[in-house]
Amino acid sequence: MPDSKPQTFGDLEPSGWPGERLGLPNEGRGSVARAGRRIAALLVDWASAMLISLLFTPYESAAYTWVTPLVFAVLQIVFIPTIGGSLGHRLLGMRVIPLDGGWIGLKRPVVRTALLLLVIPALVWDSDQRGFHDKVAGTVLIRY
């Protein structure tokens, strides 16, 4: 009798909810953060980066265009390992965790942020609602 277990990723059964295959609950604390919450957090983070950038560069300058993403990246890389997420994540009740447990370290936030700044990886999601930037970094954004 042939083995009925899926052999490749494309053969996997659809999950009942985002995070089911990761062992996360369907809703509440510890569940995968949904799109609305994630987008709101991103807007908070980008707005805070814009405000901080205004302290260093004039709004209509070319420098402002480059300083804002740099400030955004620094905020992400500093706050994810120290407080568990960006300011937007924490304000909206989320945190970034590594899939293998433990401390997230510095490498994961750097990889995650670099891919997030490319925008497209953040728009490519899997059935667990993890963006490509989270998949590559080995992280998941959960409700906390």
Side-chain angles (χ1 to χ4, degrees), residues 43-57 59 64 67-68 71 75:
L43 293 174
V44 167
D45 292 339
W46 194 257
S48 60
M50 289 174 70
L51 289 173
I52 293 169
S53 297
L54 285 173
L55 298 173
F56 301 105
T57 57
Y59 176 68
Y64 180 78
V67 170
T68 301
V71 170
L75 292 174

Side-chain angles (χ1 to χ4, degrees), residues 28-89:
R29 187 181 179 122
S31 65
V32 172
R34 302 308 200 268
R37 198 178 283 249
R38 295 170 73 113
I39 292 167
L42 180 64
L43 293 174
V44 167
D45 292 339
W46 194 257
S48 60
M50 289 174 70
L51 289 173
I52 293 169
S53 297
L54 285 173
L55 298 173
F56 301 105
T57 57
Y59 176 68
E60 295 290 330
S61 71
Y64 180 78
T65 305
W66 293 101
V67 170
T68 301
L70 179 64
V71 170
F72 176 85
V74 169
L75 292 174
Q76 295 286 311
I77 293 167
V78 168
F79 287 127
I80 289 174
T82 56
I83 65 172
S86 67
L87 295 173
H89 293 150

Side-chain angles (χ1 to χ4, degrees), residues 9-138:
F9 182 76
D11 294 336
L12 291 175
E13 293 292 324
S15 53
W17 64 84
E20 178 184 25
R21 284 187 277 232
L22 303 173
L24 301 175
N26 182 18
E27 54 189 35
R29 187 181 179 122
S31 65
V32 172
R34 302 308 200 268
R37 198 178 283 249
R38 295 170 73 113
I39 292 167
L42 180 64
L43 293 174
V44 167
D45 292 339
W46 194 257
S48 60
M50 289 174 70
L51 289 173
I52 293 169
S53 297
L54 285 173
L55 298 173
F56 301 105
T57 57
Y59 176 68
E60 295 290 330
S61 71
Y64 180 78
T65 305
W66 293 101
V67 170
T68 301
L70 179 64
V71 170
F72 176 85
V74 169
L75 292 174
Q76 295 286 311
I77 293 167
V78 168
F79 287 127
I80 289 174
T82 56
I83 65 172
S86 67
L87 295 173
H89 293 150
R90 301 305 285 165
L91 285 173
L92 289 155
M94 298 178 290
R95 81 183 285 128
V96 180
I97 61 167
L99 285 177
D100 57 3
W103 183 55
I104 197 158
L106 189 59
K107 180 183 173 188
R108 285 185 177 107
V110 168
V111 169
R112 185 180 188 279
T113 301
L115 290 170
L116 187 59
L117 287 172
L118 294 176
V119 178
I120 293 174
L123 298 176
V124 178
W125 291 7
D126 65 7
S127 65
D128 291 315
Q129 293 188 1
R130 289 174 58 220
F132 186 68
H133 62 296
D134 276 323
K135 289 184 72 76
V136 171

